[in-house]
Amino acid sequence: MSGRFALVALILLSLVLPAAAQVVIPENDGGQSTAQATDPVPVPRTEGPRETFASFLLLRDSFENALTNYVARPTYADLDRTGLIAAKMRSLIDLQDVPVSQRHAIGDTTVRAMLDIFGRIDLPDLEDIPEEEALDDRETGYWRVPGTPLRIIRTDDASRSGEWLFSQRAIASAPRYLEGIADQPLVSTLPIKSWTRFLPQIAGPAIPLSAVMSLPDAIREPWLDTPIWKIGLLSIALGLFGIVVLLVHQRVIRAHEKGSLSAVRLRLLTPVLLLVVIYAIWPVVLREVIPLGRMSRILADGLLLLTYLAITWLFWVAVQLAVQKRLQNPRNADEELNKGLIQLVGSVIGIVGVSLIVARWGQTVGIPVASVLAGLGIGGVAVALAVRPTLENLIGGIILYVDRPVQVGDYCTFGTSDGTIERIGIRSTEIRALDRTVISIPNAQFADMQLINWAQCDRMLINSNIGLRFETTSDQLRFVLAEIRKMVHAHPRIDNDTVRVRYIGPGASSRDIKLRIYALTREWNDFFAIREDVFLRVDTIVESAGTEYAFPSQTLYLGKDSGGVDETLRDAAEEQVSDWRRSRTMPFPDFPAEHLSALQGTLDYPPKGSPDEGNADVGEATGSEHLSSDPRISDVLPEDQDGARKEKPSTAQSREIQCCWSSCDPEMSFPFESVRSHLGGKGLR
């Protein structure tokens, strides 16, 4: 690798040092060339046709003098002087409709054609050229050079309003007219036959004119308005520069691990080197070779494209570097920045910046960016409909980052599928499913889904019904309930504040116990291990109680057995109902009000044998699962039917009501209307 860099350094030095040495050490011939080179260049005047035409002729004479000195003894001073004079001659041509990148080449081609034309025709006297006031009285409003199609008109360019310039028609008409008079002799102080054929052979001081003239005629023939020998030198230089940039780029790519901060930083070297070649080294080559005409336009457009490509490349890599530095900043952990959001913002900034750079390039080369935008405005409805899904997905991605229902790495349930979020991109979200496949969902659709984010669980629910056989006695059931509660409260991985182990009544073929507890874990394997341990302990408790789990079954009675219906108790129950009928105290459809009043509070709760037996003021069960933290039941007193505020219940009564509500199982439906009807329509008390 070091050998490659040495080769690159030698190539760069071989290209830069000779040109630099020639620039630094110019010589003069006894002071004559220097004196002529330092003569002031005539300032063109454009206030009327006479002044414009006279300025062009004066600049032509100065151009011939500077070129004569340069041919006699090439120096950069005379070369720069000829370039300055040529630029002032170009300024006398109306080039406002020519793209900026092509004005130099097209203007030079037109100037050479005009020099040949004015050296072959009889020029009019300056006194015969009308003043501006005289042209204002004419209907035509322009002056044409006699015998030629060249016109001088007042320009309508806002930046040069009121100036008289050679019209834009000269760009096309001057070369055509020159073809018709090319056989006429050229009047010039230089021993040349044609400006159009001689000027393209002029090169920098490093390429002597004598050596150029000694080349075969076939090589000196123009191709794309530039001699073939110049095109060959330019091709060699472009090839060398391309090899240098390619070698550096390959070395940069292999230098560090892809995606690392050092690799991204080194990627800046390639566009920077490209810009250095374009702005520092390539101008030296152009100053020596001096391409003209269409070849100059091609090179100008190509260099402009490479310049904007390098700027775009540099901007994109700089944005990526800023994103990587932000992601690898150790302070990001404290700020809890979302890496995906930073990458998304970086991508959006990069795309917008690249679009602006491309638009600027299009405007420079003559693409009507404003017209294109206006056309998009006219067809805005169609464009909006076309890009609507893309915009929806982009906005959906931003919503996912801002609202954060899920983040990269979270396990979630969406629709009927489960998986782990792997990437939230500009358009879609990628999810790794349980079968290890990747599911890609558009952001707009994913943001509208009902998402269950398991990663946000602080505890994991163990929820199950335990069904015991109907042969299980009430005391066996109490034993099982007590032992299960004891076990889960003693379990170190179960949350004691949310324990619920309750008998919920007979089912279709079992006596059901509701088990609902929370495991203190946030990891799936640990959760399954805890749940397994709990159920194994429940199995042991059920076995120690002498009962079994129930299973769907039916009982078929084939005959009378000793365990049938107790006839004595049956007769006693029927006699009791007969007494109710005779005394008209049947509790159907409702109990009498005085009977309800006598019954209130007569049942022993907590039941006989419990630690709180006989304590009617016992508090609510241990735990923290209230339906609401707002004590609305005990503080807000409802109004009676007559509009009067009811008496606030006592502390014990409030506690009873609160216990009633807090112990209500949300999975059971409570028959409020049925109870209301049994209580005579007076509501709960």
Side-chain angles (χ1 to χ4, degrees):
M1 291 299 177
S2 59
R4 290 187 179 180
F5 276 105
L7 176 62
V8 171
L10 289 175
I11 294 174
L12 291 176
L13 289 175
S14 63
L15 292 174
V16 175
L17 291 180
Q22 292 178 4
V23 173
V24 175
I25 314 175
E27 297 182 0
N28 57 61
D29 186 11
Q32 181 178 3
S33 298
T34 304
Q36 291 177 349
T38 55
D39 290 340
V41 177
V43 178
R45 298 174 56 186
T46 57
E47 62 268 26
R50 179 185 299 176
E51 289 77 8
T52 300
F53 190 73
S55 296
F56 188 87
L57 297 181
L58 185 60
L59 290 170
R60 179 196 64 177
D61 296 339
S62 297
F63 183 74
E64 288 187 1
N65 292 333
L67 195 57
T68 301
N69 294 329
Y70 181 75
V71 171
R73 198 176 195 296
T75 63
Y76 285 102
D78 286 325
L79 182 63
D80 293 340
R81 182 178 175 82
T82 59
L84 178 59
I85 297 173
K88 291 186 177 296
M89 286 192 288
R90 287 196 306 269
S91 68
L92 296 176
I93 304 174
D94 189 0
L95 300 173
Q96 60 173 317
D97 291 338
V98 178
V100 177
S101 61
Q102 300 180 9
R103 289 181 182 178
H104 187 283
I106 293 177
D108 281 345
T109 302
T110 307
V111 166
R112 290 197 300 271
M114 292 172 61
L115 289 175
D116 272 330
I117 292 173
F118 293 156
R120 286 176 166 83
I121 66 173
D122 295 329
L123 298 177
D125 293 334
L126 296 179
E127 298 298 330
D128 295 337
I129 301 176
E131 298 284 350
E132 179 182 9
E133 294 78 5
L135 290 177
D136 290 339
D137 296 336
R138 292 185 178 184
E139 294 182 359
T140 55
Y142 64 86
W143 178 75
R144 182 168 59 87
V145 179
T148 70
L150 304 179
R151 299 181 179 184
I152 298 177
I153 63 173
R154 184 188 289 114
T155 180
D156 56 358
D157 187 359
S159 61
R160 306 186 65 179
S161 178
E163 296 187 44
W164 290 77
L165 305 174
F166 286 95
S167 67
Q168 297 183 37
R169 296 175 57 183
I171 298 173
S173 61
R176 288 199 303 266
Y177 180 72
L178 177 60
E179 293 177 0
I181 61 173
D183 55 341
Q184 298 183 19
L186 176 68
V187 178
S188 174
T189 57
L190 289 170
I192 60 175
K193 296 181 180 180
S194 171
W195 287 104
T196 304
R197 295 185 62 85
F198 172 71
L199 287 179
Q201 308 298 330
I202 298 295
I207 305 176
L209 185 60
S210 58
V212 173
M213 293 304 176
S214 64
L215 294 173
D217 292 339
I219 298 179
R220 289 192 289 115
E221 285 296 320
W223 184 59
L224 298 177
D225 301 327
T226 299
I228 296 176
W229 67 268
K230 287 188 175 182
I231 297 176
L233 290 179
L234 292 172
S235 301
I236 294 173
L238 285 174
L240 289 175
F241 294 150
I243 292 174
V244 171
V245 174
L246 183 60
L247 288 176
V248 173
H249 181 64
Q250 290 181 345
R251 181 67 178 87
V252 167
I253 290 177
R254 299 172 183 172
H256 290 271
E257 182 181 355
K258 184 178 180 182
S260 65
L261 187 60
S262 300
V264 177
R265 187 182 293 111
L266 283 176
R267 283 169 53 195
L268 293 171
L269 183 60
T270 305
V272 169
L273 178 61
L274 193 57
L275 291 175
V276 169
V277 169
I278 293 173
Y279 283 99
I281 302 177
W282 184 248
V284 177
V285 177
L286 293 182
R287 194 177 191 188
E288 294 295 339
V289 180
I290 312 178
L292 300 172
R294 285 174 290 176
M295 176 56 66
S296 177
R297 294 201 300 269
I298 292 173
L299 288 175
D301 291 341
L303 288 177
L304 186 65
L305 177 61
L306 284 176
T307 300
Y308 277 93
L309 177 62
I311 294 174
T312 303
W313 191 349
L314 184 63
F315 175 80
W316 181 263
V317 176
V319 171
Q320 298 303 314
L321 178 61
V323 170
Q324 290 295 328
K325 290 184 67 176
R326 187 67 172 171
L327 291 177
Q328 299 184 17
N329 191 335
R331 291 180 298 176
N332 286 349
D334 297 334
E335 298 175 4
E336 296 182 355
L337 294 177
N338 192 302
K339 293 184 178 181
L341 179 59
I342 296 176
Q343 292 174 346
L344 177 62
V345 172
S347 300
V348 172
I349 293 176
I351 292 173
V352 172
V354 168
S355 301
L356 293 177
I357 294 173
V358 172
R360 177 63 180 173
W361 168 78
Q363 185 176 4
T364 303
V365 299
I367 298 176
V369 178
S371 301
V372 172
L373 294 177
L376 290 177
I378 296 174
V381 175
V383 173
L385 292 175
V387 302
R388 181 180 61 83
T390 302
L391 292 178
E392 287 179 351
N393 292 326
L394 176 61
I395 295 173
I398 295 175
I399 291 175
L400 289 175
Y401 281 119
V402 174
D403 194 41
R404 294 187 178 183
V406 292
Q407 301 182 47
V408 174
D410 289 355
Y411 181 82
C412 66
T413 298
F414 54 96
T416 59
S417 303
D418 304 72
T420 302
I421 306 296
E422 286 203 342
R423 187 182 71 89
I424 301 177
I426 296 178
R427 179 192 172 275
S428 62
T429 298
E430 294 182 358
I431 304 170
R432 179 75 63 178
L434 294 178
D435 59 0
R436 306 307 298 165
T437 58
V438 176
I439 304 174
S440 181
I441 305 177
N443 288 334
Q445 179 181 348
F446 189 68
D448 288 338
M449 285 185 173
Q450 181 178 356
L451 303 177
I452 301 176
N453 190 347
W454 295 98
Q456 298 299 322
C457 285
D458 55 351
R459 296 162 296 183
M460 303 186 75
L461 176 64
I462 301 175
N463 189 21
S464 178
N465 284 348
I466 301 173
L468 302 181
R469 295 172 63 96
F470 270 121
E471 293 84 354
T472 304
T473 65
S474 297
D475 287 342
Q476 283 179 307
L477 187 58
R478 290 185 177 95
F479 176 82
V480 171
L481 288 170
E483 290 299 318
I484 293 178
R485 291 170 189 166
K486 184 190 303 181
M487 181 269 296
V488 295
H489 277 291
H491 203 293
R493 302 300 300 278
I494 300 298
D495 184 11
N496 289 335
D497 292 336
T498 58
V499 168
R500 178 182 297 168
V501 182
R502 295 292 178 185
Y503 173 54
I504 59 174
S509 58
S510 63
R511 303 185 73 176
D512 294 336
I513 297 174
K514 181 70 174 181
L515 172 66
R516 198 212 67 179
I517 54 179
Y518 286 94
L520 297 176
T521 183
R522 299 180 67 248
E523 199 273 327
W524 278 113
N525 287 332
D526 192 25
F527 166 73
F528 282 110
I530 295 172
R531 189 174 67 171
E532 176 185 86
D533 181 73
V534 168
F535 286 138
L536 286 174
R537 295 177 187 272
V538 170
D539 291 345
T540 302
I541 293 172
V542 172
E543 291 174 2
S544 64
T547 183
E548 295 178 349
Y549 292 118
F551 50 86
S553 60
Q554 292 181 344
T555 301
L556 180 62
Y557 293 95
L558 298 178
K560 185 180 294 185
D561 54 22
S562 60
V565 176
D566 191 325
E567 296 181 357
T568 303
L569 296 179
R570 180 193 63 188
D571 295 340
E574 291 177 352
E575 181 64 27
Q576 179 65 55
V577 174
S578 299
D579 291 342
W580 288 346
R581 287 194 182 95
R582 287 191 295 269
S583 60
R584 303 180 62 85
T585 58
M586 281 279 290
F588 300 99
D590 297 315
F591 279 102
E594 61 276 8
H595 194 179
L596 284 176
S597 179
L599 286 175
Q600 187 171 3
T602 59
L603 190 66
D604 56 338
Y605 181 83
K608 185 177 180 180
S610 68
D612 295 322
E613 179 183 355
N615 185 7
D617 293 333
V618 65
E620 59 182 293
T622 302
S624 59
E625 291 191 276
H626 303 288
L627 292 182
S628 174
S629 60
D630 183 12
R632 290 186 292 260
I633 297 177
S634 60
D635 289 347
V636 180
L637 300 178
E639 293 182 356
D640 205 345
Q641 294 181 358
D642 56 0
R645 181 69 63 180
K646 287 186 177 180
E647 223 178 86
K648 184 174 181 180
S650 64
T651 304
Q653 291 173 332
S654 299
R655 189 178 293 115
E656 285 184 15
I657 296 175
Q658 210 166 18
C659 286
C660 173
W661 280 93
S662 63
S663 62
C664 177
D665 192 331
E667 298 186 7
M668 297 180 61
S669 59
F670 196 80
F672 291 102
E673 296 301 327
S674 177
V675 172
R676 183 185 297 275
S677 64
H678 281 292
L679 297 180
K682 299 181 181 298
L684 286 173
R685 295 184 181 270

